[in-house]
Amino acid sequence: MLNQLLFLVAKRFVSGQTIQEAVAAVQRLNAHGIGATLDVLGENVTDRRAAEAAVAAYLETLGWIQQESLSSNVSLKLTQMGLDIDRDYCLENVARICERAAAGNNFVRIDMEGSAYTERTLRLFCELFQKHQNVGIVIQAYLHRSEQDVRRLIKLGARVRLCKGAYKEPPSLAVQAMAAVRQNFMSLASLLLSQGNHPAIATHDDVLLSWTKNYIAQHQVPKEGFEFQMLYGVRSETQRQLAAQGYSMRVYVPFGTHWLPYFCRRLRERKENVAFVLRHLFRK
């Protein structure tokens, strides 16, 4: 009964359990001029068979994107690729996906996980980027270290997705008050919008959406010079409005059979995540 109730909520934010369901969701988004980034659910794998299954799922996903001419790239987590098993093994796995994506003129985004993985993720990304320029990274605005990381990534020429951050982190590592998180976000976004390589501004926050619109107008940043990003099932009407206004809009579309661990883990990590889900169940 509990699983059924959770799925009723989770399916609002997960496109389905199969690639076919995910493809259909992306086609619906594309019909409104909205791009996607497909995410095969899974993380923190502890054996190579699971990691190899994840790699195979991403290769299949890239094949579907090309076959169906979808406006979509892919996002993945390094712990899903075997980072906790062996770093070099993980690097090889992600490189395979980047090579397949490059063959279809596509792009791979490496998601950021909890702070225990931040430095390891950035180091692996920087090594990968030397050979694969079709890979990007995520920076979480609430971490104290993020300005230094953003400046380093701008110098590298890397494409960065900026988000607030969803993991529970201690005050020694992350800003806690929402007003301060927003201020950090705006500071980092201004760096990326003025100096970065096609940054992604990932937010559902009206304050940050308005700030971004005002910033690009005041600093003459072209709408095609960056993109807004949001989660699947969150503020769908707003997503369509932004696309209709000429902004590049991309939606993060998760799918797969690991929806329950993904959904429950996100809810456990921060009380704000529970409030976020409840707030956006009925919001357009």
Side-chain angles (χ1 to χ4, degrees), residues 8-77:
L8 286 174
V9 179
K11 72 176 184 179
R12 164 73 183 269
F13 307 102
V14 177
S15 63
Q17 298 191 52
T18 68
I19 181 60
Q20 291 84 358
E21 290 173 299
V23 166
V26 173
Q27 288 171 331
R28 290 192 294 271
L29 290 167
N30 289 175
H32 291 283
I34 299 171
T37 183
L38 281 165
D39 174 82
V40 182
L41 289 171
E43 55 195 285
N44 295 108
V45 304
T46 56
D47 66 83
R48 292 183 180 236
R49 284 180 300 176
E52 285 155 14
V55 173
Y58 272 99
L59 297 177
E60 180 187 15
T61 298
L62 287 164
W64 275 90
I65 290 171
Q66 190 168 14
Q67 174 186 310
E68 299 297 321
S69 300
L70 301 178
S71 176
S72 179
N73 54 42
V74 296
S75 292
L76 57 82
K77 291 178 173 59

Side-chain angles (χ1 to χ4, degrees), residues 190 193-194 211-222:
S190 66
L193 289 166
S194 62
W211 177 89
T212 303
K213 289 180 177 181
N214 290 334
Y215 182 92
I216 68 160
Q218 291 170 7
H219 295 83
Q220 298 181 325
V221 178

Side-chain angles (χ1 to χ4, degrees), residues 209-277:
L209 291 171
S210 295
W211 177 89
T212 303
K213 289 180 177 181
N214 290 334
Y215 182 92
I216 68 160
Q218 291 170 7
H219 295 83
Q220 298 181 325
V221 178
K223 288 182 177 179
E224 62 271 17
F226 79 104
E227 62 186 32
F228 283 118
Q229 292 194 3
M230 292 186 183
L231 296 172
Y232 180 80
V234 180
R235 305 202 65 179
S236 300
E237 186 175 313
T238 301
Q239 295 169 12
R240 292 192 288 271
Q241 289 173 350
L242 287 168
Q245 291 165 5
Y247 294 99
S248 296
M249 181 73 234
R250 188 175 301 276
V251 172
Y252 185 93
V253 181
F255 74 96
T257 57
H258 289 82
W259 65 268
L260 182 59
Y262 163 83
F263 188 66
C264 292
R265 189 174 293 112
R266 293 292 84 78
L267 293 183
R268 285 199 305 268
E269 278 163 351
R270 296 183 79 198
K271 66 181 184 297
E272 290 89 346
N273 293 354
V274 178
F276 176 86
V277 167

Side-chain angles (χ1 to χ4, degrees), residues 38-267:
L38 281 165
D39 174 82
V40 182
L41 289 171
E43 55 195 285
N44 295 108
V45 304
T46 56
D47 66 83
R48 292 183 180 236
R49 284 180 300 176
E52 285 155 14
V55 173
Y58 272 99
L59 297 177
E60 180 187 15
T61 298
L62 287 164
W64 275 90
I65 290 171
Q66 190 168 14
Q67 174 186 310
E68 299 297 321
S69 300
L70 301 178
S71 176
S72 179
N73 54 42
V74 296
S75 292
L76 57 82
K77 291 178 173 59
L78 293 186
T79 61
Q80 185 183 19
M81 299 290 116
L83 183 60
D84 288 330
I85 301 169
D86 180 84
R87 181 193 182 277
D88 291 340
Y89 172 69
C90 174
L91 180 63
E92 291 170 6
N93 284 338
V94 182
R96 287 176 59 197
I97 295 169
C98 290
E99 288 165 5
R100 176 66 180 85
N105 194 32
N106 213 324
F107 179 77
V108 178
R109 181 83 67 179
I110 296 176
D111 288 333
M112 190 58 73
E113 302 179 66
S115 60
Y117 293 102
T118 304
E119 183 62 25
R120 294 165 68 190
T121 298
L122 285 167
R123 287 186 180 182
L124 190 145
F125 167 77
C126 289
E127 183 175 343
L128 188 69
F129 190 75
Q130 292 176 19
K131 294 183 179 179
H132 304 280
Q133 274 73 59
N134 66 323
V135 62
I137 191 67
V138 177
I139 290 295
Q140 300 175 106
Y142 67 170
L143 295 180
H144 297 309
R145 63 172 290 166
S146 289
E147 181 179 347
Q148 176 184 338
D149 292 332
V150 163
R151 291 185 182 277
R152 178 185 177 193
L153 291 164
I154 287 173
K155 287 181 180 178
L156 194 64
R159 287 175 58 178
V160 175
R161 176 203 291 155
L162 180 66
C163 66
K164 284 180 179 174
Y167 296 85
K168 184 174 178 60
E169 303 289 359
S172 59
L173 297 177
V175 174
Q176 305 295 306
M178 181 52 66
V181 173
R182 283 192 178 116
Q183 190 58 50
N184 272 13
F185 191 104
M186 290 185 282
S187 176
L188 297 176
S190 66
L191 284 173
L192 289 165
L193 289 166
S194 62
Q195 303 173 40
N197 176 15
H198 197 80
I201 306 302
T203 184
H204 310 91
D205 187 328
D206 281 324
V207 173
L208 297 177
L209 291 171
S210 295
W211 177 89
T212 303
K213 289 180 177 181
N214 290 334
Y215 182 92
I216 68 160
Q218 291 170 7
H219 295 83
Q220 298 181 325
V221 178
K223 288 182 177 179
E224 62 271 17
F226 79 104
E227 62 186 32
F228 283 118
Q229 292 194 3
M230 292 186 183
L231 296 172
Y232 180 80
V234 180
R235 305 202 65 179
S236 300
E237 186 175 313
T238 301
Q239 295 169 12
R240 292 192 288 271
Q241 289 173 350
L242 287 168
Q245 291 165 5
Y247 294 99
S248 296
M249 181 73 234
R250 188 175 301 276
V251 172
Y252 185 93
V253 181
F255 74 96
T257 57
H258 289 82
W259 65 268
L260 182 59
Y262 163 83
F263 188 66
C264 292
R265 189 174 293 112
R266 293 292 84 78
L267 293 183

